[in-house]
Amino acid sequence: MHESTSNPTEQLVDVAQTASIFQVSASTIRSWRRRQVSWLPAPVAQLNGGAVWLRSEVSREAARYHHEGYSNNRTVSLARDRAAGRFYTPSDTAHFLADWLLRAGARSFLEPSFGDAAFIVAVNEQAEKLGLERVTWIGAELDVQAVKRARLASDLLPSEIRSGNFLALEAEPVDAVMANPPYVRLRHLDEETKRQSRKVVFQSTGELLSPSASLWLPFLIHSISFLNRGGMLAMVLPSDFTYVRYARKYWGWLSTQFEELRVVRVRQRLFPDLNQDVILLLASGHGGATQSVKFEAYESVPDLIESRPNVQSDIQISKIVSGERSFQRALAGSDVWSMLQEEFAGSLTPASDLMRFRIGYVAGDKDFFHPPSEVAEAYDLPAASLRKSITNGRRLKGHGLSTSKLPESAVDELWLPTGGELSDGELRYVRYGEQLGVSSGYKASRRDPWFRVPTVEIPDLIMTVFSESPLVLINDAELTASNSLLCGYLISGAVEQFVLNWYSPLTQLSIASEVHSLGGGVMVLVPNEANSVLMSDLRRPESDLLSIAGALASGNVEEAYLSGRAALENRAGAENVQMIIEATERLHHWRVRPN
Ligand SMILES: C[S@@+](CC[C@H](N)C(=O)[O-])C[C@H]1O[C@@H](n2cnc3c(N)ncnc32)[C@H](O)[C@@H]1O
């Protein structure tokens, strides 16, 4: 019998011995345990308050770890993992970013909001694997518990930790920033943090920060002020950064800060717990300047690590600043946009030239302001103060192309007292609303009187908002609509003509590239996006309205859009229309991601 098995305790190894068998530090073993990496066997027991492993298991896995390439070639190990059907964790992305920064020579790092220290662990591990000395850190974090955990885990030295608000921190020079900053809206933060945010943004860029901005933007800007000349940055940011209005001008500023800017998008979720679409911003050569962003999109994390982009495109920064949805356009494929320019030269117009879209009225309390008929009867609300209204887009489906075809069940009544005196019943209803607390609600309390809903209008068109193929109805019944819908007001031409041009595959492509989506891939049409949807005069016969109405009546919205295909083909040829349809499908593919 082998000597080590004669004494049972000799079969067991503690953290320090396990670390020495793997040839890593004890803190790496602790972080592996936290991350539950596949190559570290599970401890078999707790002895004297610490975990212990079977020596034989540790030795076997450590041999595999070194032999099969986990230790110095992440790509090999990831490829092997994939072959084994394992899935990839966020830490693979963190290691990828760490590897990029370290190989380029970064040795001092800033992590402005380290949280669970995932990025710090990744950099420290990767440095060890590359045979580098431990890098130095400035690690900031607001959450005291997270700071405590970091002190215990010893991923950071006490002198490297900055406990508190990163935005209040004086810049100290570093080679690299690696961060996944908080994404909280400024309006949800305390006054002091808002003030700090405005201050750091103004100091660095000379720009005034919009109140609708989120905290990641001042984090990005303040982090850059820490960088040495030639420094680099790797940050996980919300995809909103590629289009949201308040952030556009900072692309112009970024272009004066770095020699190279890369934006990476991965279709597979990078952070399974995060229901937010993210991009990776990789910037290098601080102190330089560039006119463009290299955009790369990957199907999965392994594709990113193995450098197999599905889409690669150089995007002019001036276009991002001007509000063009350049990243979306790149995902759709550049050829479709050049084709559209050629085939439709000068005839593509934004919808807003013909129809101005605005959000419907804001009642403030949906139930109170849309009383069901029994309640309206009980309070004797006069018919003259009840307006037929649409408050729910889902109820519009399957009834054709015009609001006059809607069944009663799809229409609510908005209580909107006319300018004169309130009836006795209405006065009772007002008191009832006050008892319910409706009068002190956010919207109601800001108007006088609280119960008169402002800007209730009758649009020419009503459009649903949560779809890549929104339903558009001609409002011939002169209904009004709440803020769950978009309302279109005719600027020029006839509403029927607008609808004929709207229901076409060309509009679908434009919607797919102009409209933003929520984390789960659900689109949300907001007025300025609906207004910028591109349309062309397709010269469709009025009789086509019947086929649109027929498709909509049978609940087939897709078919209504496809009804414009023939007219579009007459205009641009079948091949080009096929190209439009495929580009729309590509955008759908990138928007709706696997879990
Ligand atoms: C999205 S988490 C990122 C954590 C870490 N970078 C990671 O990838 O695991 C954001 C972190 O920002 C921290 N945070 C929020 N506001 C902060 C501030 N003003 N200064 C420093 N940290 C802050 C939060 O406590 C949280 O840990």
Side-chain angles (χ1 to χ4, degrees):
M1 198 183 278
H2 191 277
E3 201 183 72
S4 68
T5 55
S6 58
N7 175 351
T9 56
E10 279 199 34
Q11 296 175 28
L12 301 175
V13 286
D14 63 10
V15 173
Q17 290 163 309
T18 302
S20 106
I21 296 171
F22 269 97
Q23 297 167 32
V24 297
S25 66
S27 74
T28 297
I29 297 292
R30 279 191 281 269
S31 94
W32 284 356
R33 277 198 71 198
R34 268 205 308 274
R35 289 170 41 220
Q36 302 185 340
V37 297
S38 58
W39 56 87
L40 182 70
V44 286
Q46 293 283 319
L47 218 62
N48 305 327
V52 289
W53 287 261
L54 270 181
R55 180 187 291 277
S56 55
E57 275 188 25
V58 170
S59 304
R60 188 185 63 229
E61 288 302 318
R64 232 185 239 170
Y65 173 87
H66 289 289
H67 181 70
E68 297 194 27
Y70 278 110
S71 60
N72 51 19
N73 189 339
R74 186 95 196 141
T75 305
V76 171
S77 75
L78 287 172
R80 196 190 68 136
D81 271 9
R82 187 159 61 158
R86 284 180 210 134
F87 67 94
Y88 297 85
T89 66
S91 80
D92 291 323
T93 313
H95 283 84
F96 167 79
L97 298 174
D99 193 66
W100 177 67
L101 296 168
L102 288 165
R103 282 181 197 271
R107 296 295 177 266
S108 53
F109 282 71
L110 164 71
E111 169 34 307
S113 52
F114 61 73
D116 285 340
F119 282 6
I120 291 170
V121 169
V123 172
N124 288 352
E125 280 182 6
Q126 204 64 19
E128 201 170 300
K129 282 176 201 162
L130 293 171
L132 302 171
E133 294 215 345
R134 185 182 177 282
V135 303
T136 61
W137 285 97
I138 297 172
E141 175 55 58
L142 190 62
D143 179 33
V144 283
Q145 293 307 324
V147 169
K148 245 186 222 165
R149 282 196 300 273
R151 284 192 208 280
L152 289 175
S154 72
D155 299 315
L156 286 170
L157 303 176
S159 61
E160 294 174 327
I161 298 178
R162 306 285 183 277
S163 176
N165 180 4
F166 164 66
L167 298 174
L169 211 61
E170 285 288 319
E172 300 170 63
V174 292
D175 297 338
V177 174
M178 182 150 152
N180 177 14
Y183 297 169
V184 197
R185 284 288 189 106
L186 283 192
R187 62 169 67 106
H188 298 139
L189 292 167
D190 57 278
E191 282 310 315
E192 180 55 16
T193 313
K194 282 187 211 165
R195 195 189 61 77
Q196 294 278 6
S197 299
R198 285 194 293 268
K199 185 175 153 202
V200 297
V201 169
F202 188 75
Q203 264 175 358
S204 282
T205 68
E207 298 281 2
L208 296 177
L209 185 65
S210 155
S212 36
S214 285
L215 199 51
W216 57 264
L217 184 56
F219 260 70
L220 168 66
I221 291 168
H222 192 44
S223 295
I224 293 172
S225 73
F226 284 61
L227 284 179
N228 283 323
R229 207 178 165 73
M232 305 168 77
L233 172 139
M235 234 192 220
V236 182
L237 294 169
S239 305
D240 307 16
F241 187 28
T242 58
Y243 64 83
V244 79
R245 190 185 287 263
Y246 70 76
R248 283 179 202 157
K249 57 188 170 197
Y250 301 101
W251 281 102
W253 177 77
L254 268 183
S255 76
T256 66
Q257 298 295 305
F258 292 98
E259 211 169 273
E260 187 177 90
L261 293 169
R262 259 170 91 193
V263 164
V264 167
R265 182 176 163 148
V266 183
R267 183 165 171 258
Q268 178 192 359
R269 266 173 206 280
L270 294 180
F271 300 90
D273 301 340
L274 188 67
N275 191 26
Q276 162 102 46
D277 287 338
V278 295
I279 53 158
L280 306 176
L281 175 67
L282 286 82
S284 53
H286 182 52
T290 178
Q291 300 296 316
S292 61
V293 179
K294 293 186 192 313
F295 177 50
E296 297 152 28
Y298 298 85
E299 194 63 38
S300 65
V301 176
D303 281 352
L304 164 68
I305 291 166
E306 289 157 29
S307 205
R308 285 195 305 259
N310 290 59
V311 175
Q312 250 180 323
S313 174
D314 267 357
I315 292 179
Q316 292 304 307
I317 294 206
S318 56
K319 291 197 168 170
I320 311 173
V321 176
S322 74
E324 187 185 287
R325 299 272 164 114
S326 312
F327 294 90
Q328 285 294 96
R329 287 184 171 216
L331 288 178
S334 57
D335 43 348
V336 75
W337 304 108
S338 28
M339 180 279 286
L340 287 177
Q341 236 168 15
E342 260 171 47
E343 295 295 330
F344 292 85
S347 77
L348 286 177
T349 46
S352 58
D353 283 3
L354 308 164
M355 181 79 66
R356 175 68 58 170
F357 284 101
R358 287 204 298 269
I359 200 88
Y361 63 82
V362 180
D365 185 306
K366 189 175 173 197
D367 292 341
F368 178 80
F369 287 103
H370 302 96
S373 55
E374 324 77 84
V375 175
E377 269 167 38
Y379 283 89
D380 211 6
L381 301 178
S385 44
L386 292 169
R387 299 277 200 95
K388 291 205 178 311
S389 169
I390 297 176
T391 63
N392 183 337
R394 278 196 303 268
R395 295 198 222 135
L396 305 185
K397 207 170 165 187
H399 305 296
L401 177 60
S402 28
T403 54
S404 59
K405 297 280 189 294
L406 291 173
E408 264 183 26
S409 59
V411 181
D412 286 322
E413 292 199 310
L414 166 72
W415 176 55
L416 187 70
T418 47
E421 298 258 302
L422 296 184
S423 70
D424 287 350
E426 286 179 312
L427 285 170
R428 272 196 300 129
Y429 199 54
V430 166
R431 279 199 299 279
Y432 173 58
E434 286 164 352
Q435 275 163 14
L436 286 178
V438 177
S439 52
S440 46
Y442 181 76
K443 286 288 174 188
S445 63
R446 281 168 174 70
R447 55 195 189 215
D448 186 19
W450 66 266
F451 51 81
R452 195 153 285 143
V453 176
T455 52
V456 178
E457 289 167 323
I458 294 178
D460 299 299
L461 254 183
I462 290 177
M463 178 151 78
T464 59
V465 297
F466 292 118
S467 171
E468 56 195 312
S469 304
L471 200 58
V472 164
L473 300 190
I474 297 174
N475 190 20
D476 59 343
E478 302 197 342
L479 310 180
T480 183
S482 77
N483 59 343
S484 307
L485 286 305
L486 283 187
C487 296
Y489 300 87
L490 203 59
I491 304 271
S492 92
V495 69
E496 289 77 11
Q497 208 51 49
F498 181 89
V499 166
L500 283 167
N501 288 326
W502 181 274
Y503 280 107
S504 103
L506 176 63
T507 328
Q508 280 183 303
L509 170 61
S510 190
I511 293 170
S513 62
E514 294 298 322
V515 177
H516 77 285
S517 60
L518 300 176
V522 177
M523 288 201 139
V524 193
L525 266 159
V526 294
N528 70 340
E529 292 172 337
N531 284 324
S532 49
V533 166
L534 291 175
M535 300 173 68
S536 179
D537 184 0
L538 297 177
R539 313 225 164 93
R540 295 176 72 180
E542 291 245 344
S543 56
D544 273 12
L545 285 171
L546 290 177
S547 43
I548 298 175
L552 294 181
S554 62
N556 197 339
V557 186
E558 274 312 306
E559 195 185 306
Y561 277 89
L562 272 178
S563 74
R565 183 171 185 155
L568 200 57
E569 285 180 352
N570 283 342
R571 182 67 195 271
E575 239 174 69
N576 287 335
V577 175
Q578 188 56 31
M579 201 162 159
I580 289 174
I581 290 171
E582 283 169 15
T584 311
E585 285 168 358
R586 270 199 292 282
L587 286 173
H588 177 87
H589 172 82
W590 284 102
R591 194 173 60 252
V592 182
R593 299 169 312 154
N595 273 321

Short mmCIF file of all heavy atoms in Angstrom, two decimals, residues 152-194:
data_model
loop_
_atom_site.label_atom_id
_atom_site.label_comp_id
_atom_site.label_asym_id
_atom_site.label_seq_id
_atom_site.Cartn_x
_atom_site.Cartn_y
_atom_site.Cartn_z
N LEU A 152 -11.35 40.53 3.26
CA LEU A 152 -11.16 39.15 3.74
C LEU A 152 -10.57 38.26 2.65
O LEU A 152 -9.72 37.42 2.90
CB LEU A 152 -12.49 38.57 4.21
CG LEU A 152 -13.03 39.16 5.51
CD1 LEU A 152 -14.40 38.60 5.82
CD2 LEU A 152 -12.06 38.86 6.66
N ALA A 153 -11.04 38.48 1.42
CA ALA A 153 -10.62 37.56 0.35
C ALA A 153 -9.20 37.83 -0.12
O ALA A 153 -8.61 37.02 -0.83
CB ALA A 153 -11.58 37.68 -0.83
N SER A 154 -8.66 38.97 0.26
CA SER A 154 -7.28 39.36 -0.07
C SER A 154 -6.98 39.38 -1.57
O SER A 154 -5.86 39.13 -1.99
CB SER A 154 -6.27 38.52 0.70
OG SER A 154 -6.22 37.21 0.18
N ASP A 155 -8.01 39.62 -2.39
CA ASP A 155 -7.75 39.86 -3.81
C ASP A 155 -7.12 41.24 -3.99
O ASP A 155 -6.45 41.51 -4.97
CB ASP A 155 -9.05 39.77 -4.61
CG ASP A 155 -9.67 38.39 -4.50
OD1 ASP A 155 -8.92 37.41 -4.62
OD2 ASP A 155 -10.89 38.31 -4.28
N LEU A 156 -7.42 42.11 -3.01
CA LEU A 156 -6.86 43.47 -3.02
C LEU A 156 -6.10 43.69 -1.72
O LEU A 156 -6.51 43.17 -0.67
CB LEU A 156 -8.01 44.48 -3.04
CG LEU A 156 -8.79 44.68 -4.34
CD1 LEU A 156 -10.01 45.53 -4.08
CD2 LEU A 156 -7.89 45.35 -5.38
N LEU A 157 -5.03 44.45 -1.76
CA LEU A 157 -4.33 44.82 -0.52
C LEU A 157 -5.13 45.95 0.13
O LEU A 157 -5.78 46.73 -0.58
CB LEU A 157 -2.93 45.34 -0.83
CG LEU A 157 -2.01 44.39 -1.62
CD1 LEU A 157 -0.68 45.08 -1.93
CD2 LEU A 157 -1.79 43.11 -0.81
N PRO A 158 -5.07 46.05 1.47
CA PRO A 158 -5.84 47.11 2.13
C PRO A 158 -5.52 48.49 1.54
O PRO A 158 -6.41 49.33 1.37
CB PRO A 158 -5.39 47.02 3.59
CG PRO A 158 -4.93 45.60 3.75
CD PRO A 158 -4.39 45.17 2.42
N SER A 159 -4.25 48.71 1.19
CA SER A 159 -3.87 50.04 0.68
C SER A 159 -4.44 50.29 -0.72
O SER A 159 -4.41 51.41 -1.22
CB SER A 159 -2.35 50.14 0.61
OG SER A 159 -1.87 49.14 -0.28
N GLU A 160 -4.96 49.25 -1.35
CA GLU A 160 -5.48 49.41 -2.71
C GLU A 160 -6.99 49.70 -2.72
O GLU A 160 -7.55 50.03 -3.75
CB GLU A 160 -5.21 48.14 -3.54
CG GLU A 160 -3.73 47.90 -3.77
CD GLU A 160 -3.46 46.56 -4.46
OE1 GLU A 160 -4.21 45.59 -4.23
OE2 GLU A 160 -2.49 46.50 -5.23
N ILE A 161 -7.62 49.53 -1.56
CA ILE A 161 -9.08 49.67 -1.50
C ILE A 161 -9.46 51.12 -1.23
O ILE A 161 -8.89 51.77 -0.36
CB ILE A 161 -9.66 48.74 -0.42
CG1 ILE A 161 -9.36 47.28 -0.78
CG2 ILE A 161 -11.16 48.96 -0.26
CD1 ILE A 161 -9.84 46.26 0.24
N ARG A 162 -10.42 51.64 -2.01
CA ARG A 162 -10.97 52.97 -1.75
C ARG A 162 -12.44 52.77 -1.45
O ARG A 162 -13.24 52.56 -2.35
CB ARG A 162 -10.83 53.89 -2.97
CG ARG A 162 -9.42 54.01 -3.52
CD ARG A 162 -8.53 54.91 -2.63
NE ARG A 162 -7.22 55.06 -3.24
CZ ARG A 162 -6.23 54.18 -3.12
NH1 ARG A 162 -6.40 53.07 -2.39
NH2 ARG A 162 -5.06 54.38 -3.71
N SER A 163 -12.75 52.80 -0.16
CA SER A 163 -14.13 52.56 0.24
C SER A 163 -14.90 53.86 0.10
O SER A 163 -14.50 54.88 0.66
CB SER A 163 -14.12 52.08 1.70
OG SER A 163 -15.41 51.92 2.15
N GLY A 164 -16.01 53.85 -0.65
CA GLY A 164 -16.81 55.07 -0.81
C GLY A 164 -17.17 55.34 -2.25
O GLY A 164 -17.01 54.48 -3.12
N ASN A 165 -17.62 56.57 -2.48
CA ASN A 165 -18.11 56.97 -3.80
C ASN A 165 -16.95 57.21 -4.77
O ASN A 165 -16.15 58.12 -4.57
CB ASN A 165 -18.94 58.25 -3.62
CG ASN A 165 -19.48 58.74 -4.93
OD1 ASN A 165 -19.32 58.11 -5.98
ND2 ASN A 165 -20.15 59.89 -4.86
N PHE A 166 -16.90 56.43 -5.82
CA PHE A 166 -15.81 56.56 -6.79
C PHE A 166 -15.78 57.95 -7.42
O PHE A 166 -14.70 58.50 -7.71
CB PHE A 166 -15.96 55.50 -7.89
CG PHE A 166 -15.15 55.78 -9.11
CD1 PHE A 166 -13.76 55.76 -9.06
CD2 PHE A 166 -15.76 56.10 -10.32
CE1 PHE A 166 -12.99 56.05 -10.18
CE2 PHE A 166 -14.99 56.39 -11.45
CZ PHE A 166 -13.61 56.37 -11.38
N LEU A 167 -16.94 58.54 -7.62
CA LEU A 167 -16.98 59.83 -8.32
C LEU A 167 -16.31 60.94 -7.51
O LEU A 167 -15.93 61.98 -8.05
CB LEU A 167 -18.42 60.22 -8.65
CG LEU A 167 -19.13 59.23 -9.58
CD1 LEU A 167 -20.60 59.60 -9.74
CD2 LEU A 167 -18.45 59.17 -10.94
N ALA A 168 -16.17 60.71 -6.18
CA ALA A 168 -15.53 61.72 -5.34
C ALA A 168 -14.02 61.49 -5.23
O ALA A 168 -13.31 62.22 -4.54
CB ALA A 168 -16.16 61.69 -3.95
N LEU A 169 -13.54 60.45 -5.91
CA LEU A 169 -12.13 60.08 -5.78
C LEU A 169 -11.24 60.92 -6.70
O LEU A 169 -11.56 61.13 -7.86
CB LEU A 169 -12.01 58.60 -6.20
CG LEU A 169 -10.95 57.75 -5.55
CD1 LEU A 169 -11.18 57.67 -4.05
CD2 LEU A 169 -10.99 56.34 -6.16
N GLU A 170 -10.14 61.43 -6.12
CA GLU A 170 -9.15 62.15 -6.94
C GLU A 170 -8.46 61.16 -7.88
O GLU A 170 -8.14 60.05 -7.46
CB GLU A 170 -8.07 62.74 -6.02
CG GLU A 170 -8.48 63.95 -5.24
CD GLU A 170 -8.62 65.18 -6.12
OE1 GLU A 170 -7.76 65.38 -7.02
OE2 GLU A 170 -9.60 65.93 -5.93
N ALA A 171 -8.19 61.59 -9.09
CA ALA A 171 -7.54 60.68 -10.04
C ALA A 171 -6.11 60.36 -9.61
O ALA A 171 -5.38 61.23 -9.15
CB ALA A 171 -7.54 61.31 -11.43
N GLU A 172 -5.75 59.07 -9.72
CA GLU A 172 -4.36 58.62 -9.53
C GLU A 172 -4.01 57.84 -10.79
O GLU A 172 -4.84 57.06 -11.26
CB GLU A 172 -4.26 57.67 -8.33
CG GLU A 172 -4.68 58.26 -7.02
CD GLU A 172 -4.79 57.17 -5.94
OE1 GLU A 172 -3.79 56.54 -5.61
OE2 GLU A 172 -5.91 56.96 -5.45
N PRO A 173 -2.82 58.01 -11.32
CA PRO A 173 -2.53 57.43 -12.64
C PRO A 173 -2.50 55.90 -12.65
O PRO A 173 -1.90 55.28 -11.77
CB PRO A 173 -1.16 58.00 -12.99
CG PRO A 173 -0.57 58.45 -11.70
CD PRO A 173 -1.70 58.80 -10.79
N VAL A 174 -3.16 55.31 -13.65
CA VAL A 174 -3.12 53.85 -13.86
C VAL A 174 -2.95 53.57 -15.35
O VAL A 174 -3.21 54.42 -16.20
CB VAL A 174 -4.42 53.15 -13.37
CG1 VAL A 174 -4.56 53.21 -11.86
CG2 VAL A 174 -5.64 53.74 -14.06
N ASP A 175 -2.54 52.32 -15.64
CA ASP A 175 -2.38 51.92 -17.04
C ASP A 175 -3.71 51.50 -17.67
O ASP A 175 -3.87 51.56 -18.89
CB ASP A 175 -1.45 50.69 -17.15
CG ASP A 175 -0.05 50.98 -16.66
OD1 ASP A 175 0.33 52.17 -16.66
OD2 ASP A 175 0.66 50.03 -16.28
N ALA A 176 -4.60 50.98 -16.81
CA ALA A 176 -5.82 50.41 -17.39
C ALA A 176 -7.01 50.52 -16.45
O ALA A 176 -6.84 50.52 -15.22
CB ALA A 176 -5.59 48.93 -17.71
N VAL A 177 -8.18 50.62 -17.06
CA VAL A 177 -9.44 50.59 -16.31
C VAL A 177 -10.17 49.33 -16.74
O VAL A 177 -10.25 49.03 -17.92
CB VAL A 177 -10.32 51.81 -16.67
CG1 VAL A 177 -11.69 51.69 -16.02
CG2 VAL A 177 -9.63 53.11 -16.30
N MET A 178 -10.68 48.59 -15.76
CA MET A 178 -11.54 47.46 -16.10
C MET A 178 -12.77 47.56 -15.22
O MET A 178 -12.65 47.61 -13.99
CB MET A 178 -10.79 46.15 -15.86
CG MET A 178 -11.62 44.97 -16.25
SD MET A 178 -10.59 43.61 -16.80
CE MET A 178 -11.64 42.25 -16.39
N ALA A 179 -13.95 47.65 -15.81
CA ALA A 179 -15.11 47.98 -15.00
C ALA A 179 -16.42 47.48 -15.57
O ALA A 179 -16.59 47.35 -16.77
CB ALA A 179 -15.19 49.51 -14.85
N ASN A 180 -17.33 47.24 -14.64
CA ASN A 180 -18.73 46.98 -14.96
C ASN A 180 -19.50 47.92 -14.04
O ASN A 180 -19.91 47.53 -12.95
CB ASN A 180 -19.04 45.51 -14.66
CG ASN A 180 -20.49 45.18 -14.89
OD1 ASN A 180 -21.22 45.95 -15.51
ND2 ASN A 180 -20.92 44.04 -14.38
N PRO A 181 -19.67 49.16 -14.45
CA PRO A 181 -20.17 50.18 -13.52
C PRO A 181 -21.66 50.01 -13.24
O PRO A 181 -22.34 49.26 -13.93
CB PRO A 181 -19.93 51.49 -14.28
CG PRO A 181 -19.96 51.10 -15.71
CD PRO A 181 -19.44 49.70 -15.79
N PRO A 182 -22.17 50.72 -12.22
CA PRO A 182 -23.60 50.65 -11.95
C PRO A 182 -24.40 51.36 -13.06
O PRO A 182 -23.91 52.32 -13.65
CB PRO A 182 -23.75 51.40 -10.62
CG PRO A 182 -22.50 52.20 -10.46
CD PRO A 182 -21.43 51.56 -11.26
N TYR A 183 -25.62 50.86 -13.30
CA TYR A 183 -26.45 51.42 -14.38
C TYR A 183 -27.66 52.21 -13.88
O TYR A 183 -28.65 52.31 -14.55
CB TYR A 183 -27.00 50.28 -15.27
CG TYR A 183 -25.96 49.46 -16.01
CD1 TYR A 183 -26.33 48.28 -16.64
CD2 TYR A 183 -24.64 49.85 -16.09
CE1 TYR A 183 -25.40 47.51 -17.32
CE2 TYR A 183 -23.71 49.08 -16.75
CZ TYR A 183 -24.09 47.91 -17.36
OH TYR A 183 -23.18 47.14 -18.03
N VAL A 184 -27.56 52.75 -12.68
CA VAL A 184 -28.73 53.43 -12.09
C VAL A 184 -28.97 54.78 -12.76
O VAL A 184 -28.03 55.52 -13.05
CB VAL A 184 -28.48 53.70 -10.59
CG1 VAL A 184 -29.77 54.01 -9.87
CG2 VAL A 184 -27.76 52.53 -9.96
N ARG A 185 -30.26 55.09 -12.98
CA ARG A 185 -30.61 56.40 -13.51
C ARG A 185 -30.27 57.51 -12.51
O ARG A 185 -30.54 57.36 -11.32
CB ARG A 185 -32.12 56.48 -13.76
CG ARG A 185 -32.59 55.75 -14.99
CD ARG A 185 -32.14 56.53 -16.20
NE ARG A 185 -32.72 56.03 -17.41
CZ ARG A 185 -33.70 56.64 -18.06
NH1 ARG A 185 -34.22 57.75 -17.60
NH2 ARG A 185 -34.16 56.15 -19.19
N LEU A 186 -29.72 58.62 -12.98
CA LEU A 186 -29.35 59.71 -12.07
C LEU A 186 -30.55 60.19 -11.26
O LEU A 186 -30.43 60.54 -10.10
CB LEU A 186 -28.83 60.91 -12.86
CG LEU A 186 -27.41 60.83 -13.40
CD1 LEU A 186 -26.98 62.20 -13.89
CD2 LEU A 186 -26.43 60.33 -12.35
N ARG A 187 -31.74 60.17 -11.89
CA ARG A 187 -32.89 60.73 -11.18
C ARG A 187 -33.28 59.88 -9.97
O ARG A 187 -34.01 60.33 -9.11
CB ARG A 187 -34.08 60.92 -12.12
CG ARG A 187 -34.65 59.68 -12.76
CD ARG A 187 -35.98 60.03 -13.43
NE ARG A 187 -35.78 60.93 -14.56
CZ ARG A 187 -35.87 60.57 -15.83
NH1 ARG A 187 -36.16 59.31 -16.12
NH2 ARG A 187 -35.68 61.43 -16.80
N HIS A 188 -32.73 58.66 -9.87
CA HIS A 188 -33.01 57.85 -8.69
C HIS A 188 -31.94 58.00 -7.61
O HIS A 188 -31.97 57.29 -6.61
CB HIS A 188 -33.12 56.36 -9.08
CG HIS A 188 -34.23 56.10 -10.04
ND1 HIS A 188 -34.12 55.26 -11.10
CD2 HIS A 188 -35.48 56.62 -10.09
CE1 HIS A 188 -35.26 55.27 -11.77
NE2 HIS A 188 -36.09 56.09 -11.18
N LEU A 189 -31.00 58.89 -7.83
CA LEU A 189 -29.88 59.00 -6.89
C LEU A 189 -30.01 60.25 -6.02
O LEU A 189 -30.76 61.18 -6.33
CB LEU A 189 -28.56 59.07 -7.67
CG LEU A 189 -28.22 57.75 -8.38
CD1 LEU A 189 -27.11 57.98 -9.38
CD2 LEU A 189 -27.81 56.70 -7.36
N ASP A 190 -29.24 60.25 -4.93
CA ASP A 190 -29.28 61.40 -4.04
C ASP A 190 -28.64 62.62 -4.69
O ASP A 190 -27.87 62.50 -5.65
CB ASP A 190 -28.57 61.05 -2.72
CG ASP A 190 -27.14 60.61 -2.98
OD1 ASP A 190 -26.94 59.43 -3.33
OD2 ASP A 190 -26.25 61.45 -2.88
N GLU A 191 -28.92 63.79 -4.14
CA GLU A 191 -28.46 65.05 -4.73
C GLU A 191 -26.94 65.11 -4.83
O GLU A 191 -26.37 65.60 -5.80
CB GLU A 191 -28.96 66.25 -3.90
CG GLU A 191 -30.41 66.60 -4.15
CD GLU A 191 -30.74 66.75 -5.65
OE1 GLU A 191 -29.95 67.39 -6.37
OE2 GLU A 191 -31.77 66.18 -6.09
N GLU A 192 -26.27 64.58 -3.80
CA GLU A 192 -24.81 64.64 -3.76
C GLU A 192 -24.20 63.85 -4.92
O GLU A 192 -23.28 64.32 -5.60
CB GLU A 192 -24.32 64.11 -2.38
CG GLU A 192 -22.82 64.12 -2.18
CD GLU A 192 -22.17 65.49 -2.40
OE1 GLU A 192 -22.87 66.52 -2.41
OE2 GLU A 192 -20.93 65.50 -2.60
N THR A 193 -24.73 62.65 -5.17
CA THR A 193 -24.19 61.84 -6.27
C THR A 193 -24.49 62.51 -7.61
O THR A 193 -23.65 62.50 -8.52
CB THR A 193 -24.78 60.41 -6.24
OG1 THR A 193 -24.69 59.94 -4.91
CG2 THR A 193 -24.04 59.48 -7.17
N LYS A 194 -25.68 63.12 -7.71
CA LYS A 194 -26.00 63.83 -8.96
C LYS A 194 -25.01 64.98 -9.17
O LYS A 194 -24.52 65.19 -10.28
CB LYS A 194 -27.42 64.43 -8.87
CG LYS A 194 -28.50 63.43 -9.09
CD LYS A 194 -29.83 64.17 -9.15
CE LYS A 194 -30.92 63.29 -8.62
NZ LYS A 194 -32.15 63.93 -8.29
#
